[in-house]
Amino acid sequence: MRIRTAATAACGTLTLLALLAPAAQADTHKGDTTITSFSFSRSTVNVGVSAAQSLTVSATAKDDSGIKGIYGDKLITPDGHVVFPDDASCSRPTSTTMKCSWTYSLDANATDDYADLKNSYAGTWHFDGEVAANDQDFYTIDTSKTVKVKRYAKLTATQASPEPVVKGRGLTVTGTLTRANWNTNVYAGYTSQKVALQFKKSGSSTYSTVKTVTTDGSGKLKTTVTANYAGTWRWKFAGTGTTSAVTATGDSVALK
């Protein structure tokens, strides 16, 4: 996560901000300063163990006296870690508005320990910043703007055997669920997770869930089903608050 470890240059007057996250509180404002638009480039960012992921935040503020600057531009993790952007740019579309964009690089394999993602950071992040107007009015964004940053999950390709299978006989279906460990930069088995086993009949385009199976202590999945139709079997994990959803490649099985 190649993120600056010092406060970034804010748009307008440069302000040095504390590296400690403020206590969570509702947005506050004074006067007629408003945030007219705010957006994240992605609602959820799934980060693995090697490739950095980019996130851009954009905001437009307005005040009748004009905007002096938008300061802060921090992202705060669930455990209070502060993340600063790699790049910031601002413009003044009109005499009363300012528009800023900040780009963050989220990386679990950064050389800077402060910038390196940790497992405890996964979950809901919120943006923290303040708009200052020329007439001393202001608007603070404290907790209202949030984005999900999750550990990337993988499912091995579904394996079903025997192939082909005698109609009405048992079919064993296996797989493995892993997720990114940001502390060690490896994919490790995701244990005790419920994963749906789905089936699609030959000629159909729709999967339906046959049963739910729980991963073992190594993240492995194994179950037996009765093969009544030819078709494709696959595993599907819905994800959690800290881990991405993932669907495995299916395995087509014919009857004999």
Side-chain angles (χ1 to χ4, degrees):
M1 188 169 67
R2 303 172 187 86
I3 296 170
R4 299 173 184 173
T5 58
T8 53
C11 302
T13 303
L14 298 181
T15 298
L16 183 65
L17 297 169
L19 295 182
L20 295 178
Q25 54 186 316
D27 293 355
T28 56
H29 68 92
K30 172 189 174 185
D32 64 344
T33 305
T34 60
I35 303 292
T36 57
S37 68
F38 186 97
S39 64
F40 293 101
S41 59
R42 304 157 71 175
S43 60
T44 301
V45 185
N46 299 318
V47 186
V49 301
S50 57
Q53 299 295 314
S54 179
L55 174 68
T56 299
V57 180
S58 300
T60 301
K62 180 179 181 180
D63 187 278
D64 286 349
S65 70
I67 301 298
K68 183 178 182 180
I70 302 178
Y71 310 115
D73 53 28
K74 300 173 292 185
L75 290 173
I76 313 298
T77 69
D79 63 351
H81 185 77
V82 179
V83 176
F84 292 101
D86 281 338
D87 184 63
S89 63
C90 292
S91 63
R92 298 181 183 276
T94 70
S95 61
T96 60
T97 62
M98 175 176 279
K99 180 178 181 179
C100 294
S101 294
W102 306 273
T103 300
Y104 303 80
S105 182
L106 310 183
D107 191 353
N109 194 29
T111 55
D112 182 346
D113 285 342
Y114 180 85
D116 203 18
L117 285 177
K118 303 295 187 294
N119 290 339
S120 60
Y121 301 171
T124 300
W125 295 21
H126 70 266
F127 182 86
D128 185 280
E130 181 173 354
V131 178
N134 290 325
D135 60 1
Q136 308 304 312
D137 289 348
F138 65 86
Y139 191 105
T140 63
I141 302 173
D142 293 307
T143 60
S144 65
K145 309 303 182 183
T146 61
V147 62
K148 298 286 187 182
V149 179
K150 297 186 176 185
R151 295 161 64 178
Y152 190 79
K154 292 182 177 182
L155 271 169
T156 58
T158 307
Q159 296 294 322
S161 63
E163 297 183 57
V165 63
V166 176
K167 182 177 181 179
R169 295 288 183 87
L171 185 70
T172 299
V173 187
T174 60
T176 302
L177 175 66
T178 60
R179 65 170 173 170
N181 186 322
W182 292 343
N183 294 346
T184 60
N185 294 333
V186 298
Y187 283 92
Y190 198 5
T191 66
S192 303
Q193 298 302 306
K194 295 185 181 301
V195 181
L197 177 63
Q198 299 186 325
F199 178 69
K200 178 182 69 173
K201 291 182 181 180
S202 294
S204 173
S205 60
T206 304
Y207 280 93
S208 59
T209 297
V210 176
K211 63 166 64 175
T212 299
V213 180
T214 302
T215 57
D216 67 12
S218 299
K220 295 186 181 301
L221 294 155
K222 184 176 182 178
T223 192
T224 299
V225 294
T226 301
N228 292 317
Y229 304 95
T232 304
W233 298 86
R234 74 177 186 184
W235 297 103
K236 185 178 180 66
F237 176 59
T240 67
T242 61
T243 306
S244 71
V246 60
T247 301
T249 301
D251 190 6
S252 296
V253 179
L255 299 183
K256 65 177 181 178

